[in-house]
Amino acid sequence: MKFLHNIKVFTMWLIIFFITSSTLSVLLFKYVPVPLSPLMLIRCYQQVKNGQQLKLKHEWVPIDSISPDLPLAVWSSEDQNFLKHNGFDIDAIKQAMSERDRRIRGGSTISQQTAKNVFLWPTSSWTRKCLEAYFTILIEIIWDKQRIMEVYLNTIEMGDGIYGAEAVAVEHFGIHATHLTRNQCALIAATLPNPIKFDSSNPSSYMYKRQSWIIKQMKWLGSFPVTKEQMTEWEEKNKESE
């Protein structure tokens, strides 16, 4: 009985520690740039294991130092309901679950991808999905949409050993993220489903087709609201259109 009691006490304190530490981490990254992500470390390990040259290109830049077309492009291509949902796109999840292949797939929002990029590992499993949902709720409560987008654009994998807007702009286009053109931003967004397979510096015909579709969506959406004032204007405009 004492053994079972000790197990219960240990489990309780373990849960308390996890909730406290995870909440503090999310609070910290509301204000502090994310220096590294689990995926970055995993990719470095894989490179060393495979005898490849170590490559990790990553430089944090604030969202106002990134071309406004890039958040618009990823909003257009990855999650058009990003500003409307609370972290989960229910319709997309239902669509993914209704497919014959019941493996965990599809339906991930920008918020979910950000939670995974910053706090978790890339391998898909039900455990990771549950933790992803937990961290998604946390960042949606503690961060605003602009901060989620800022962290997303600075941590997402955008090429082989390339992470974030500034790194891909420098490595693939020889410019800083603030100078990225609309076409370049759409091309970068076109790689995001698989940035290892798709290369924005050497686009395939499929990527050009995807880029064209993204640009059309960007024109339809208009602009991504970076400031609180722009967000208020977007919300008011969206209410009027409903």
Side-chain angles (χ1 to χ4, degrees), residues 13-122:
W13 280 109
L14 190 64
I15 292 171
I16 292 172
F17 172 77
F18 172 73
I19 293 174
T20 302
S21 60
S22 59
T23 302
L24 288 175
S25 296
V26 174
L27 276 170
L28 177 67
F29 289 138
K30 180 179 181 179
Y31 306 102
V32 176
V34 179
L36 289 170
S37 71
L39 179 61
M40 296 178 196
L41 297 176
I42 289 170
R43 291 288 191 242
C44 286
Y45 169 76
Q46 291 172 342
Q47 290 168 4
V48 172
K49 183 181 178 182
N50 295 330
Q52 300 172 338
Q53 185 177 356
L54 195 64
K55 182 180 180 182
L56 199 169
K57 303 293 183 179
H58 174 246
E59 182 179 348
W60 180 281
V61 289
I63 196 167
D64 56 10
S65 293
I66 298 173
S67 167
D69 283 323
L70 190 56
L72 176 60
V74 299
W75 179 30
S76 301
S77 63
E78 294 292 290
D79 182 8
Q80 292 191 8
N81 290 322
F82 174 60
L83 297 179
K84 297 179 181 180
H85 62 61
N86 294 317
F88 306 94
D89 190 332
I90 303 302
D91 291 336
I93 292 172
K94 287 180 179 178
Q95 184 177 354
M97 291 182 66
S98 67
E99 296 179 2
R100 290 182 181 180
D101 186 348
R102 296 296 180 178
R103 292 174 298 176
I104 301 171
R105 58 188 297 178
S108 291
T109 64
I110 287 175
S111 301
Q112 289 174 275
Q113 292 180 54
T114 303
K116 179 187 70 176
N117 290 341
V118 176
F119 301 104
L120 301 169
W121 58 95

